[in-house]
Amino acid sequence: MSYQKRRIEAGEHRRKLSNQIRGSRRLSSLPFELSLESSSEVDKFQRSQDRDRQKEFNKEVRDWSNKSTSALKGSVSRLIKRNVSLSASIKANLYYDRKYASEVNRVGFSFVREGIYIHKGAGRGQGGHIGGRWIDRYGNQKTRAEESAGKQGKGNRQPILWFDPVIDNRLPQLADLVADYSATMQINATNLFID
């Protein structure tokens, strides 16, 4: 094999490895979202005609999500002793429906994977019933150890509920904002909670 061919193959391997690592980092920010659903397209079109009210609604939802993010960061700093990167990674993401106009239709929260482990009481040697697979920073595929199956939330790692109670307390405020904006819009929070 020639020197040039070995260099090309090594470069392809390096690119493949960096794409795997980049992909695993992209997946480590897990989204938890709620959607604002309208009952009909006619209602969406009618709301899009009042641009000022729509901008005001978007601003109110953005303010709610920013205050919720601050509350989540406060919860993390209050409840978790060893906060490595969780509070810095908490972000609120707003998604817009651009069919008729730019109206917020989803609010998501993302954070590093460590937040799930803390919330459920999982860690090294204390995994859940369903096994997981991930790629470490060196590109090696890892799986949950068989001896740790079903030990999540037991022993020295108890669940620290830092996410669900905060969001549960903040949802009525969002419900009031949505009800003031439109009587036909509903909140779907099935994908929001960790449990």
Side-chain angles (χ1 to χ4, degrees), residues 11-91:
E12 287 174 359
H13 177 70
R14 199 175 307 116
R15 272 193 302 279
K16 184 178 176 184
L17 180 62
S18 71
N19 286 338
Q20 284 177 340
I21 293 170
R22 195 175 303 121
S24 68
R25 284 187 187 146
R26 209 175 297 128
L27 292 175
S28 67
S29 233
L30 302 172
F32 292 91
E33 64 186 23
L34 60 93
S35 59
L36 306 173
E37 299 172 350
S38 187
S39 60
S40 73
E41 294 293 318
V42 175
D43 294 329
K44 283 184 185 180
F45 177 74
Q46 289 175 349
R47 286 194 308 264
S48 71
Q49 300 305 308
D50 189 3
R51 301 278 179 153
D52 295 332
R53 180 65 186 122
Q54 195 173 54
K55 285 181 183 177
E56 183 182 334
F57 174 69
N58 288 346
K59 182 185 175 300
E60 289 172 349
V61 172
R62 189 179 319 109
D63 291 343
W64 178 86
S65 65
N66 290 338
K67 288 178 184 175
S68 298
T69 302
S70 298
L72 287 170
K73 289 181 180 186
S75 173
V76 167
S77 65
R78 201 174 50 252
L79 295 174
I80 299 171
K81 294 176 188 171
R82 190 173 161 214
N83 177 15
V84 177
S85 61
L86 179 58
S87 64
S89 71
I90 298 172
K91 293 179 186 146

Side-chain angles (χ1 to χ4, degrees), residues 120-189:
K120 291 193 170 231
R124 182 171 297 208
Q126 296 174 339
H129 294 287
I130 300 172
R133 278 189 240 155
W134 65 96
I135 297 174
D136 68 359
R137 70 177 89 166
Y138 305 109
N140 301 324
Q141 186 168 356
K142 302 282 189 170
T143 58
R144 184 208 62 206
E146 290 299 322
E147 61 272 3
S148 72
K151 294 182 180 177
Q152 166 182 307
K154 300 173 183 162
N156 61 345
R157 290 188 190 226
Q158 295 299 315
I160 300 173
L161 303 177
W162 65 271
F163 186 80
D164 287 350
V166 173
I167 295 298
D168 197 30
N169 288 338
R170 302 229 9 108
L171 271 180
Q173 295 169 357
L174 181 65
D176 292 340
L177 292 175
V178 170
D180 289 342
Y181 178 61
S182 173
T184 60
M185 192 179 269
Q186 300 173 350
I187 298 175
N188 182 2

